Amino acid sequence: MAAHAYLAVEPETGLFTAVALTPGSGSGHHEANVALDLLADEDEPVDAFGDTAYSTGPTHQELRQAGHRLFLKPAPLKTAVPGGFSLDDFAIDTVGSTVTCPAGQTVPLSEPSGQKMQRKALFTEQCTGCPLRERCSTARAGRFVTIRPHHDLLAASRRQAATDPDWQAAYRRWRPPVERAVAWLVTHGNRRLRRTGTIKNNAWLHTRTAALNLRTLINLGLDHNGTTWHIWATA
């Protein structure tokens, strides 16, 4: 069966704090949706790290509203022309409903519409004779700009990831420990599912991560005195 496993890991210790296994298809099983469930039981705000699959507008909005500080790697923007201007090269004013292109031409931004509530701006005569057109669009009618809900939130996230040295240092520091925890999980052929059905495999995932957590805790000094468990402080 096709399925995806999702993990929340405390990177400083390598402990798994939440796990889930879902079917491999269906919008409800997208990484960004599962991430909200993995962090739902956190009592206090956390620094949340994740790759591009988790960096969606709704996820940013909900996790920020919950007080979490986000280190979600932004998805790269596509360009109409290879190496040309991306969406971030346009000055988009969602409040004033205008879009200004890299050449300084400004056009109105439409109100949200359609199933995805997108907003659009069309550069037509503004592109005629523009010296930057070859870097912007190959469309005969001119450049067509489409933005989705949460545009401002995602644009701010991309700027932070590209320009904030503290953000960059934190992401570089904590990604390797998480990748190491994932490697512990899938070693000895455990990347492949052993059973049939989501329920059984989800139970297996919880059992395996619990066993790995116990091993980690023992390595951290966990001991039992016959009555209670303790973690002995180490120098």
Side-chain angles (χ1 to χ4, degrees):
M1 64 168 287
H4 292 155
Y6 303 96
L7 315 167
V9 180
E10 200 292 302
E12 197 162 16
T13 60
L15 290 169
F16 298 93
T17 60
V19 297
L21 187 140
T22 69
S25 61
S27 58
H29 304 136
H30 189 277
E31 290 93 332
N33 293 326
V34 179
L36 301 176
D37 294 333
L38 294 178
L39 294 177
D41 293 331
E42 293 291 341
D43 296 327
E44 298 179 356
V46 300
D47 288 352
F49 294 80
D51 61 23
T52 57
Y54 299 93
S55 189
T56 68
T59 301
H60 273 271
Q61 184 178 48
E62 289 201 36
L63 293 181
R64 287 184 184 278
Q65 287 177 345
H68 301 305
R69 194 162 65 128
L70 304 187
F71 297 81
L72 306 179
K73 186 177 181 181
L77 291 175
K78 296 180 179 179
T79 59
V81 177
F85 297 119
S86 73
L87 193 64
D88 283 346
D89 292 309
F90 289 73
I92 300 173
D93 182 354
T94 57
V95 177
S97 298
T98 61
V99 178
T100 302
C101 74
Q105 299 291 330
T106 300
V107 300
L109 180 64
S110 72
E111 292 300 313
S113 63
Q115 184 178 4
K116 296 182 178 179
M117 298 302 291
Q118 295 177 333
R119 306 182 70 180
K120 302 175 182 179
L122 178 60
F123 294 84
T124 51
E125 65 271 12
Q126 292 85 359
C127 292
T128 303
C130 176
L132 302 180
R133 178 164 184 163
E134 291 185 356
R135 297 174 56 193
C136 192
S137 176
T138 59
R140 185 174 301 176
R143 180 65 184 258
F144 192 66
V145 174
T146 301
I147 67 169
R148 297 183 178 182
H150 310 103
H151 165 78
D152 291 339
L153 198 59
L154 291 176
S157 173
R158 290 191 294 269
R159 286 194 299 271
Q160 184 180 33
T163 63
D164 186 343
D166 292 335
W167 191 102
Q168 296 166 354
Y171 194 87
R172 287 194 300 267
R173 178 184 180 187
W174 295 119
R175 180 170 181 171
V178 174
E179 292 179 340
R180 184 165 59 247
V182 174
W184 292 341
L185 175 67
V186 301
T187 190
H188 303 307
N190 284 298
R191 186 176 293 275
R192 298 179 61 87
L193 297 176
R194 306 294 183 87
R195 295 164 178 80
T196 301
T198 302
I199 295 176
K200 290 182 179 179
N201 284 300
N202 190 44
W204 166 84
L205 176 64
H206 280 77
T207 301
R208 177 157 178 78
T209 52
L212 290 170
N213 278 349
L214 179 59
R215 184 185 70 179
T216 299
L217 288 169
I218 291 173
N219 290 336
L220 291 173
L222 181 68
D223 196 9
H224 192 264
N225 63 7
T227 305
T228 59
W229 293 93
H230 301 275
I231 291 185
W232 301 105
T234 57

